mmCIF file of all heavy atoms in Angstrom:
data_model
loop_
_atom_site.group_PDB
_atom_site.id
_atom_site.type_symbol
_atom_site.label_atom_id
_atom_site.label_comp_id
_atom_site.label_asym_id
_atom_site.label_seq_id
_atom_site.Cartn_x
_atom_site.Cartn_y
_atom_site.Cartn_z
ATOM 1 N N GLU T 116 67.036 112.379 77.113
ATOM 2 C CA GLU T 116 65.827 111.863 76.565
ATOM 3 C C GLU T 116 65.645 110.402 76.742
ATOM 4 O O GLU T 116 64.525 109.919 76.981
ATOM 5 C CB GLU T 116 65.825 112.201 74.952
ATOM 6 C CG GLU T 116 65.813 113.571 74.711
ATOM 7 C CD GLU T 116 66.094 113.878 73.140
ATOM 8 O OE1 GLU T 116 66.211 112.932 72.385
ATOM 9 O OE2 GLU T 116 66.120 115.180 72.736
ATOM 10 N N PHE T 117 66.748 109.644 76.710
ATOM 11 C CA PHE T 117 66.697 108.202 76.962
ATOM 12 C C PHE T 117 66.191 107.949 78.442
ATOM 13 O O PHE T 117 65.473 107.005 78.627
ATOM 14 C CB PHE T 117 68.067 107.518 76.705
ATOM 15 C CG PHE T 117 68.174 106.057 76.821
ATOM 16 C CD1 PHE T 117 67.413 105.228 75.995
ATOM 17 C CD2 PHE T 117 68.811 105.536 77.867
ATOM 18 C CE1 PHE T 117 67.494 103.872 76.185
ATOM 19 C CE2 PHE T 117 68.795 104.088 78.054
ATOM 20 C CZ PHE T 117 68.222 103.292 77.259
ATOM 21 N N GLU T 118 66.795 108.635 79.349
ATOM 22 C CA GLU T 118 66.411 108.581 80.788
ATOM 23 C C GLU T 118 64.824 108.802 80.889
ATOM 24 O O GLU T 118 64.105 108.150 81.713
ATOM 25 C CB GLU T 118 67.161 109.538 81.749
ATOM 26 C CG GLU T 118 68.507 109.049 81.921
ATOM 27 C CD GLU T 118 69.371 110.139 82.643
ATOM 28 O OE1 GLU T 118 69.042 111.392 82.705
ATOM 29 O OE2 GLU T 118 70.472 109.761 83.188
ATOM 30 N N ALA T 119 64.329 109.926 80.105
ATOM 31 C CA ALA T 119 62.837 110.137 80.157
ATOM 32 C C ALA T 119 62.127 108.934 79.637
ATOM 33 O O ALA T 119 61.069 108.498 80.214
ATOM 34 C CB ALA T 119 62.582 111.369 79.415
ATOM 35 N N VAL T 120 62.524 108.349 78.569
ATOM 36 C CA VAL T 120 61.841 107.220 77.924
ATOM 37 C C VAL T 120 61.917 106.000 78.874
ATOM 38 O O VAL T 120 60.941 105.412 79.242
ATOM 39 C CB VAL T 120 62.425 106.824 76.569
ATOM 40 C CG1 VAL T 120 61.951 105.421 76.194
ATOM 41 C CG2 VAL T 120 62.138 107.886 75.541
ATOM 42 N N VAL T 121 63.080 105.800 79.513
ATOM 43 C CA VAL T 121 63.239 104.628 80.439
ATOM 44 C C VAL T 121 62.256 104.902 81.726
ATOM 45 O O VAL T 121 61.687 103.941 82.210
ATOM 46 C CB VAL T 121 64.647 104.434 80.898
ATOM 47 C CG1 VAL T 121 64.855 103.620 82.201
ATOM 48 C CG2 VAL T 121 65.553 103.955 79.823
ATOM 49 N N SER T 122 62.258 106.129 82.158
ATOM 50 C CA SER T 122 61.236 106.430 83.227
ATOM 51 C C SER T 122 59.860 106.152 82.931
ATOM 52 O O SER T 122 59.054 105.530 83.702
ATOM 53 C CB SER T 122 61.513 107.874 83.643
ATOM 54 O OG SER T 122 60.509 108.247 84.693
ATOM 55 N N MET T 123 59.373 106.496 81.676
ATOM 56 C CA MET T 123 58.099 106.327 81.317
ATOM 57 C C MET T 123 57.878 104.758 81.138
ATOM 58 O O MET T 123 56.774 104.250 81.581
ATOM 59 C CB MET T 123 57.836 106.968 79.975
ATOM 60 C CG MET T 123 57.688 108.424 79.993
ATOM 61 S SD MET T 123 57.430 109.337 78.409
ATOM 62 C CE MET T 123 56.703 108.170 77.328
ATOM 63 N N LEU T 124 58.820 104.063 80.607
ATOM 64 C CA LEU T 124 58.647 102.578 80.521
ATOM 65 C C LEU T 124 58.489 101.922 81.838
ATOM 66 O O LEU T 124 57.744 100.896 82.022
ATOM 67 C CB LEU T 124 59.861 101.919 79.682
ATOM 68 C CG LEU T 124 59.799 102.221 78.130
ATOM 69 C CD1 LEU T 124 61.122 101.594 77.539
ATOM 70 C CD2 LEU T 124 58.597 101.478 77.501
ATOM 71 N N ASP T 125 59.453 102.407 82.736
ATOM 72 C CA ASP T 125 59.329 101.891 84.226
ATOM 73 C C ASP T 125 58.046 102.038 84.816
ATOM 74 O O ASP T 125 57.401 101.205 85.444
ATOM 75 C CB ASP T 125 60.388 102.580 85.055
ATOM 76 C CG ASP T 125 60.647 102.004 86.394
ATOM 77 O OD1 ASP T 125 60.511 100.681 86.429
ATOM 78 O OD2 ASP T 125 60.584 102.705 87.290
ATOM 79 N N LYS T 126 57.400 103.316 84.571
ATOM 80 C CA LYS T 126 55.980 103.555 85.190
ATOM 81 C C LYS T 126 55.052 102.583 84.319
ATOM 82 O O LYS T 126 54.117 102.016 85.109
ATOM 83 C CB LYS T 126 55.642 104.980 84.858
ATOM 84 C CG LYS T 126 56.365 105.989 85.821
ATOM 85 C CD LYS T 126 55.976 107.322 85.426
ATOM 86 C CE LYS T 126 56.896 108.333 86.262
ATOM 87 N NZ LYS T 126 56.559 109.799 85.917
#
Side-chain angles (χ1 to χ4, degrees):
E116 292 170 3
F117 183 67
E118 287 174 343
V120 169
V121 167
S122 176
M123 286 176 28
L124 285 174
D125 187 46
K126 288 178 186 177

